[in-house]
Amino acid sequence: MKQYLKHDPWLIIEEDFHRNYNEITESVMSLGNGRMGQRGNFEEHFSGKTLQGNYVAGVYYPDKTRVGWWKNGYPEYFAKVLNAANWIGIDITVEYETLDLNTCEVRDFRRVLNMREGYLERSFVAILRSGKELQVNVKRFCSIVDDEAGAIRYSLTPLNFDAKITVEPYIDGNIRNRDSNYDETFWDEVRKETAYGEGYIELRTRKTGFHVCSGMCVEIEQDGVRIDFQSQPIRREKYVANRMTLDCQQGQETVLYKYAVNLSSLNYDSDYIVAEAHKSIQRITRKGFDRMLLDQQQAWADKWKTNDITIEGDAAAQQGIRFCIFQLNQTYTGEDERLNIGPKGFTGEKYGGSTYWDTEAYCLPFYLSTADQKVSRNLLRYRYKHLEKAIENARKLGFKAGAALYPMVTMNGEECHNEWEITFEEIHRNGAIAHAVYDYVRYTGDENYLVEYGLEVLIAISRFWSQRVNWSEAKQQYVMLGVTGPNEYENNVNNNWYTNYLAAWTLRYTIETVGRVKELNPERFNELCDRIHFREEKEIATAKHIIDHMHFPYDENRQVFLQQDSFLDKELMTVSEIPKGQRPLNQHWSWDRILRSCFIKQADVLQGIYFFEDDFDEETIRRNFDFYEPMTVHESSLSPCVHSVLASKLGMKDKAYEMYLRTARLDLDDYNNDTEDGCHITSMAGSWLAVVKGFGGLRIKDDQVVLTPYCPDNWESLAFKIRFRGALLEVKVTQNEVSVENFSGQTAEIVVFGESMSLAGKSQKAFKRSALAPESN
């Protein structure tokens, strides 16, 4: 772990410049607004360790796949969200000396991410080789009000000299993705323009043909007064800039304001995109930096009113959960159903920035509880709109009759992951999408979604499961061969328990949904049957036979579900037996050694128990937790949160807290030595789950909010808000009492410690802590 960032409830603070950790800090201090995002890079030139990153949502490139032996069914590309034009750049030259924090002495350095108000600020004194001392103060944000825009306030104050200082704000399209397989460049220049204090560059992606126009406008103040300046336009290939040389006096503050926009052809006609960029720049420049910042602060205040979590008595835990909520809100707003949530969001390039099963399994519950219902509905509609592509993906593998296999990685519905054991074996993602439909309907009560979209998706997924199993004469059961479960430290196994259970559950839920949609809208049901050739009687009979005869690996001696048929053939060891210095395993062991070991990357059997906990009694859950958790290395960011939720349910408060802190501070403390690649955005939703479903005990049962909350022993209090069917509830938990306040005018049906009641709008109810709530273990 790297614990160089200061603990603070609302701020992420780096004091003193940690050069060796700079790429980690750049990831942590990333900004975004759902449409665009920017890593926490420096505006001025920096020759040290850095990963420049600016990303525009939905714009991607089909990078070449690199595999040793091509196999039928392999995707032809890996979709990458591209590193787009660098819009933040401002080069500073003091009488022929370039400001570069890698080559000059740095004093009083401070970099701060303000999560309450949504901006990044930085201050330092640079001591140049000539001995000149320059005070720099910077503030930057990506506006969530003007969501295609960003703004920078860059302040320079000479401390011991008078001099001419040259500033060169620029937009640079000569960029690459660090992780591209062949070091390709992805952008071609279409046009560029410069004017007094302005610059525009339009780029087009190769192959996919997306257009992005990045534009900027600059204003300058000295001593708080706007000044005129002479601007020399600079135009090079994929580069536009304005160069200004300013007379700067000792002690005098010079402020450069840089306004920028990134417009994409997803939202604008490419023939007019430069003209639209001009209009956007004019609009935000008229508004001005201070007004834009006030709008930003108000918009963030509104967000925090409905989704904040407060923890008293533990600054590290408080900072961690707010950081997670902040990054989730920067990454996805739900305004555009064409967009989704990449595992790195706008913080880095790893994983291509594409859509994984993380969205349905981890992120959906967060947005269900913290955002308007349309946000989670749009996440599901994203998958519905890709249904035909999912059917095509299955067809390429030989499946028939409208079976759908949703991709492991995608931008447009096509599979674009090129590792066999992931692409074609990690098929459990299909079930996660089915479970998300169930989760959404259970939470919102929106059964009309099943009529309009959900049933069609469920039938297509169930058709896949019905064809993916095969009948074993030896077992007289259905089996599923050659799969990879959530634990990617086992590949190509037979009968992964989680996958089999999820498949059987999906078939059962589809049958239930068929009956429900027939009741709700028989006309729509009949139309759907005709359109997709659904043979109700035959397909349901097949599904029921599979459900009744599915093979689930089980060890009678230990009375635990087996992760797969041959799991007990492994040498069973605990994580504590791994020699010191050999973790993370994926950075120290060969892949062959990992695959033959018993060690588990992330929750697998326990993932299924987490999804379907009502199917198992507490002792069954405890036996499986006690068996698998000691073998789990948690080298997936998605793992600790599931263990935290289950530990809370089992009353294992110390373990629940340990796992919560690991998931909430995964990037802040760089647990897995990989934060420099970008933050783990989708697992941040898991941190929320650990608090709200773990410590808060939130469940939805029989159209009611069910709560069995407790407060970790070292916390004074915990409070969180959830939306539920028109109500906005705040749950406050201390060591002795729980209160629930309904801020809305809508009555909410709640159950707290087993006590059911109707909580009227604008009312509050207090409950004494029940003996049923978790005790220390």
Side-chain angles (χ1 to χ4, degrees):
M1 291 193 299
K2 303 174 184 67
Q3 297 179 317
Y4 66 99
L5 299 172
K6 306 297 182 183
H7 292 175
D8 184 276
W10 283 105
L11 307 174
I12 310 297
I13 304 169
E14 179 193 23
E15 290 183 345
D16 299 325
F17 182 29
H18 297 79
R19 284 181 173 82
N20 292 337
Y21 296 160
N22 186 53
E23 288 183 338
I24 298 170
T25 315
E26 288 177 341
S27 295
V28 168
M29 302 213 176
S30 296
L31 297 172
N33 58 21
R35 293 281 183 197
M36 56 183 263
Q38 172 67 51
R39 283 173 59 84
N41 307 119
F42 298 159
E43 288 81 4
E44 71 277 355
H45 175 76
F46 182 66
S47 61
K49 189 177 182 182
T50 182
L51 173 59
Q52 183 67 42
N54 172 52
Y55 310 100
V56 178
V59 176
Y60 70 95
Y61 180 85
D63 197 14
K64 299 173 185 175
T65 57
R66 174 179 284 178
V67 292
W69 294 96
W70 196 263
K71 298 178 176 68
N72 287 335
Y74 260 51
E76 296 182 358
Y77 67 91
F78 188 89
K80 295 184 180 296
V81 171
L82 297 185
N83 195 350
N86 174 14
W87 62 270
I88 67 169
I90 305 172
D91 282 347
I92 307 296
T93 305
V94 181
E95 294 183 342
Y96 307 107
E97 287 189 89
T98 299
L99 176 61
D100 180 350
L101 297 197
N102 194 49
T103 60
C104 67
E105 182 182 343
V106 181
R107 191 180 73 219
D108 301 331
F109 182 94
R110 182 177 169 90
R111 182 164 31 172
V112 178
L113 179 67
N114 187 314
M115 300 181 290
R116 187 198 292 268
E117 299 180 351
Y119 62 83
L120 174 63
E121 60 183 342
R122 183 168 54 103
S123 61
F124 59 88
V125 173
I127 304 173
L128 306 178
R129 290 175 180 173
S130 62
K132 294 181 175 68
E133 297 184 5
L134 183 67
Q135 171 75 51
V136 178
N137 294 280
V138 191
K139 186 174 288 186
R140 179 173 86 221
F141 59 92
C142 292
S143 173
I144 59 172
V145 176
D146 304 290
D147 65 4
E148 294 165 321
I152 304 169
R153 183 187 189 275
Y154 199 96
S155 163
L156 301 164
T157 305
L159 298 182
N160 64 351
F161 66 95
D162 301 334
K164 292 184 181 296
I165 298 179
T166 300
V167 297
E168 186 173 313
Y170 62 83
I171 297 174
D172 184 7
N174 285 296
I175 37 78
R176 297 173 185 264
N177 273 44
R178 178 184 290 181
D179 69 344
S180 60
N181 286 342
Y182 296 96
D183 199 30
E184 292 180 280
T185 56
F186 302 118
W187 298 96
D188 289 323
E189 182 182 306
V190 179
R191 76 189 80 173
K192 56 178 173 271
E193 297 179 6
T194 54
Y196 175 72
E198 294 185 48
Y200 301 86
I201 187 163
E202 179 185 352
L203 303 175
R204 178 180 58 232
T205 58
R206 297 174 182 175
K207 296 184 181 180
T208 45
F210 292 104
H211 289 241
V212 173
C213 182
S214 299
M216 69 172 183
C217 180
V218 175
E219 295 179 336
I220 298 176
E221 289 180 354
Q222 285 188 324
D223 293 329
V225 178
R226 190 67 44 86
I227 66 169
D228 291 328
F229 52 86
Q230 290 188 333
S231 171
Q232 177 188 353
I234 309 294
R235 294 157 64 96
R236 298 195 293 267
E237 183 183 1
K238 300 180 188 176
Y239 182 94
V240 293
N242 285 269
R243 183 177 296 157
M244 292 82 77
T245 299
L246 308 171
D247 289 319
C248 299
Q249 307 301 313
Q250 180 176 338
Q252 179 187 54
E253 183 184 38
T254 298
V255 179
L256 182 148
Y257 293 98
K258 183 176 183 182
Y259 305 95
V261 295
N262 288 297
L263 274 55
S264 85
S265 55
L266 281 171
N267 305 306
Y268 298 92
D269 187 323
S270 59
D271 290 338
Y272 305 102
I273 197 168
V274 175
E276 293 295 334
H278 277 276
K279 293 178 184 176
S280 296
I281 282 289
Q282 290 169 5
R283 178 174 53 79
I284 64 171
T285 304
R286 284 195 302 267
K287 183 184 283 191
F289 185 90
D290 291 342
R291 179 72 256 176
M292 288 182 70
L293 182 58
L294 284 173
D295 289 348
Q296 178 85 342
Q297 292 165 336
Q298 184 57 57
W300 273 106
D302 291 341
K303 285 183 177 292
W304 288 115
K305 284 178 184 176
T306 60
N307 59 32
D308 190 20
I309 290 176
T310 59
I311 296 168
E312 291 185 316
D314 189 337
Q318 175 68 88
Q319 184 185 51
I321 192 60
R322 282 199 174 123
F323 178 66
C324 294
I325 295 170
F326 176 73
Q327 290 292 0
L328 285 163
N329 279 301
Q330 288 198 127
T331 302
Y332 183 76
T333 62
E335 296 298 323
D336 190 336
E337 64 186 29
R338 297 170 299 174
L339 304 178
N340 208 281
I341 307 161
K344 296 292 182 185
F346 296 121
T347 71
E349 302 171 7
K350 195 174 180 181
Y351 303 127
S354 305
T355 303
Y356 288 63
W357 69 293
D358 309 16
T359 292
E360 285 75 27
Y362 294 87
C363 298
L364 181 71
F366 170 79
Y367 293 102
L368 278 172
S369 294
T370 65
D372 187 90
Q373 183 175 320
K374 72 176 183 180
V375 174
S376 50
R377 205 174 205 266
N378 276 347
L379 282 173
L380 294 184
R381 274 180 51 79
Y382 177 90
R383 293 296 193 179
Y384 175 78
K385 293 179 73 171
H386 288 173
L387 178 58
E388 288 305 313
K389 288 286 188 181
I391 291 171
E392 181 182 329
N393 291 335
R395 188 183 303 122
K396 289 177 181 177
L397 302 184
F399 291 85
K400 302 175 183 177
L405 175 59
Y406 277 94
M408 186 65 184
V409 177
T410 192
M411 285 297 298
N412 64 359
E414 292 179 304
E415 178 62 76
C416 61
H417 197 290
N418 65 349
E419 296 178 48
W420 183 271
E421 68 273 14
I422 304 298
T423 308
F424 307 114
E425 293 184 349
E426 203 164 332
I427 53 178
H428 63 83
R429 77 263 190 166
N430 242 20
I433 292 167
H435 187 268
V437 174
Y438 163 77
D439 208 14
Y440 170 81
V441 174
R442 174 179 58 172
Y443 198 96
T444 65
D446 179 15
E447 291 189 305
N448 193 51
Y449 183 83
L450 296 174
V451 175
E452 291 183 277
Y453 311 111
L455 178 58
E456 187 174 352
V457 170
L458 291 170
I459 289 173
I461 291 174
S462 291
R463 284 171 164 174
F464 172 83
W465 291 129
S466 294
Q467 296 176 51
R468 185 59 173 78
V469 298
N470 61 274
W471 179 256
S472 166
E473 287 293 338
K475 288 184 170 63
Q476 288 294 293
Q477 289 179 311
Y478 287 97
V479 296
M480 206 172 317
L481 309 178
V483 302
T484 298
N487 172 30
E488 293 170 345
Y489 286 177
E490 283 193 323
N491 296 160
N492 197 32
V493 300
N494 294 333
N495 296 305
N496 171 256
W497 180 88
Y498 170 72
T499 305
N500 286 18
Y501 200 92
L502 197 53
W505 175 86
T506 302
L507 294 170
R508 188 180 303 113
Y509 180 54
T510 302
I511 293 171
E512 293 173 6
T513 304
V514 165
R516 187 60 182 147
V517 170
K518 285 173 69 175
E519 293 177 10
L520 292 170
N521 194 328
E523 183 178 341
R524 164 68 176 167
F525 176 76
N526 291 330
E527 180 273 325
L528 177 63
C529 290
D530 290 341
R531 179 162 54 83
I532 67 173
H533 308 293
F534 179 60
R535 296 167 295 172
E536 180 184 358
E537 185 175 343
K538 182 177 180 180
E539 293 191 46
I540 286 180
T542 299
K544 286 182 175 179
H545 197 262
I546 294 169
I547 293 166
D548 293 340
H549 296 85
M550 182 70 86
H551 172 58
F552 300 110
Y554 186 75
D555 178 34
E556 293 287 353
N557 182 41
R558 295 176 177 82
Q559 293 186 293
V560 296
F561 307 118
L562 292 181
Q563 191 165 279
Q564 43 92 4
D565 279 344
S566 61
F567 188 78
L568 292 183
D569 292 338
K570 300 188 175 206
E571 180 185 4
L572 301 185
M573 302 169 61
T574 64
V575 172
S576 62
E577 297 175 74
I578 298 174
K580 186 177 181 181
Q582 295 189 16
R583 294 178 63 189
L585 297 184
N586 57 26
Q587 296 174 21
H588 293 88
W589 286 14
S590 71
W591 193 241
D592 172 75
R593 185 180 180 186
I594 289 174
L595 292 178
R596 289 186 288 107
S597 79
C598 69
F599 297 117
I600 300 168
K601 181 182 180 184
Q602 70 184 89
D604 195 304
V605 168
L606 297 183
Q607 179 77 36
I609 290 174
Y610 160 72
F611 269 167
F612 307 112
E613 66 174 23
D614 289 343
D615 294 354
F616 313 104
D617 61 45
E618 185 171 311
E619 284 311 305
T620 297
I621 297 173
R622 188 180 301 278
R623 283 195 304 272
N624 281 274
F625 188 94
D626 289 345
F627 181 66
Y628 284 109
E629 200 283 328
M631 290 185 280
T632 305
V633 291
H634 301 293
E635 289 174 13
S636 165
S637 64
L638 301 175
S639 185
C641 59
V642 171
H643 289 77
S644 183
V645 173
L646 292 178
S648 285
K649 179 179 178 62
L650 296 171
M652 303 169 69
K653 293 173 69 173
D654 291 344
K655 176 59 70 173
Y657 177 77
E658 173 197 343
M659 291 291 99
Y660 160 73
L661 209 60
R662 177 163 182 156
T663 184
R665 297 196 61 84
L666 180 72
D667 292 309
L668 294 176
D669 294 337
D670 193 23
Y671 268 86
N672 288 341
N673 296 319
D674 60 0
T675 301
E676 64 185 25
D677 297 326
C679 293
H680 299 79
I681 300 298
T682 49
S683 79
M684 291 177 177
S687 304
W688 181 91
L689 292 171
V691 174
V692 176
K693 288 194 172 186
F695 306 140
L698 171 69
R699 304 292 189 272
I700 304 300
K701 297 181 180 179
D702 301 322
D703 299 318
Q704 295 176 307
V705 172
V706 178
L707 297 161
T708 54
Y710 74 97
C711 198
D713 290 339
N714 60 322
W715 294 2
E716 296 172 15
S717 68
L718 162 68
F720 60 88
K721 294 184 175 74
I722 58 168
R723 299 186 187 207
F724 181 72
R725 302 191 185 184
L728 175 61
L729 307 177
E730 182 177 48
V731 182
K732 293 184 178 179
V733 190
T734 67
Q735 297 296 338
N736 301 310
E737 188 177 84
V738 175
S739 67
V740 183
E741 184 171 0
N742 186 350
F743 287 98
S744 69
Q746 175 78 38
T747 298
E749 301 300 321
I750 65 171
V751 179
V752 183
F753 298 136
E755 180 182 343
S756 300
M757 65 171 295
S758 295
L759 185 65
K762 308 298 183 182
S763 69
Q764 184 176 1
K765 172 72 174 177
F767 304 82
K768 291 296 181 183
R769 187 178 180 281
S770 168
L772 297 176
E775 297 287 355
S776 296
N777 188 350

